Amino acid sequence: MLYLNIAQIVLAVLLVTAILLQAKGTGLSGVFGGEGNIFRTKRGFEKILFYSTIVLAILFFAVAVANVYFSK
């Protein structure tokens, strides 16, 4: 189905964007002995982005399964 293919592409782009926005502030400081292992609470936009990434991943998986199921 064409609609499922388009939905899967759109969800993939949104999911990659959400993941890249989350990883933007981390960098490689933990690799070189920096302070990259500090635990802190997610607040504001960071929390919304975290939960939206989870929802996008679930939707992407569901559309991928539906695409396989309905393609037969």
Side-chain angles (χ1 to χ4, degrees), residues 49-63:
L49 186 62
F50 176 71
Y51 287 129
S52 64
T53 304
I54 294 172
V55 170
L56 283 171
I58 292 169
L59 286 174
F60 179 77
F61 181 74
V63 170

Side-chain angles (χ1 to χ4, degrees), residues 17-64:
T17 303
I19 290 171
L20 287 177
L21 283 175
Q22 280 185 3
K24 183 178 179 183
T26 58
L28 289 174
S29 62
V31 175
F32 299 111
E35 298 180 12
N37 54 359
I38 297 174
F39 178 78
R40 58 185 171 86
T41 307
K42 291 176 176 40
R43 294 187 180 141
F45 180 70
E46 190 177 42
K47 189 175 188 177
I48 294 170
L49 186 62
F50 176 71
Y51 287 129
S52 64
T53 304
I54 294 172
V55 170
L56 283 171
I58 292 169
L59 286 174
F60 179 77
F61 181 74
V63 170

Side-chain angles (χ1 to χ4, degrees), residues 2 4-6 8 22 38 40-41 44 46 54 64-65 72:
L2 182 64
L4 288 176
N5 287 337
I6 293 172
Q8 193 170 8
Q22 280 185 3
I38 297 174
R40 58 185 171 86
T41 307
E46 190 177 42
I54 294 172
V65 169
K72 292 182 180 183

